[in-house]
Amino acid sequence: MMLMTDDKLMTEVDAHLRTDLLQYCEFYQLDPESVVEQAISDFLCHHNQTVNSLVHGYAEMASLNSEICKECAGCESKID
């Protein structure tokens, strides 16, 4: 569950995940907020690349479909 309060994102996570995060940050002397921020950034970047790939693929298919339509337009006109 995520909550937005005063332009600040607050998340509730599983107790085990929270414990693991805090232990990790303590061991490597990192700020937990920085780790969470970086993890979210990496997650969004990865998923944004996936969406961009899909958009690019659909654009290529649109171009290919247009070419196929042009090739088949003569066949349809013979039917009429």
Side-chain angles (χ1 to χ4, degrees), residues 17-80:
L17 181 58
R18 179 177 165 74
T19 300
D20 290 346
L21 172 64
L22 294 176
Q23 287 176 347
Y24 178 88
C25 290
E26 182 180 340
F27 182 80
Y28 289 105
Q29 297 182 0
L30 299 169
D31 174 37
E33 288 186 27
S34 297
V35 173
V36 170
E37 186 175 309
Q38 185 62 50
I40 292 171
S41 178
D42 291 348
F43 177 88
L44 293 175
C45 181
H46 171 75
H47 283 79
N48 194 39
Q49 288 174 352
T50 301
V51 170
N52 286 339
S53 294
L54 288 171
V55 168
H56 180 71
Y58 282 117
E60 285 183 15
M61 288 304 298
S63 176
L64 180 61
N65 287 340
S66 180
E67 289 178 31
I68 292 170
C69 287
K70 287 177 186 174
E71 290 177 12
C72 296
C75 296
E76 287 185 13
S77 65
K78 291 178 184 176
I79 294 173
D80 293 334

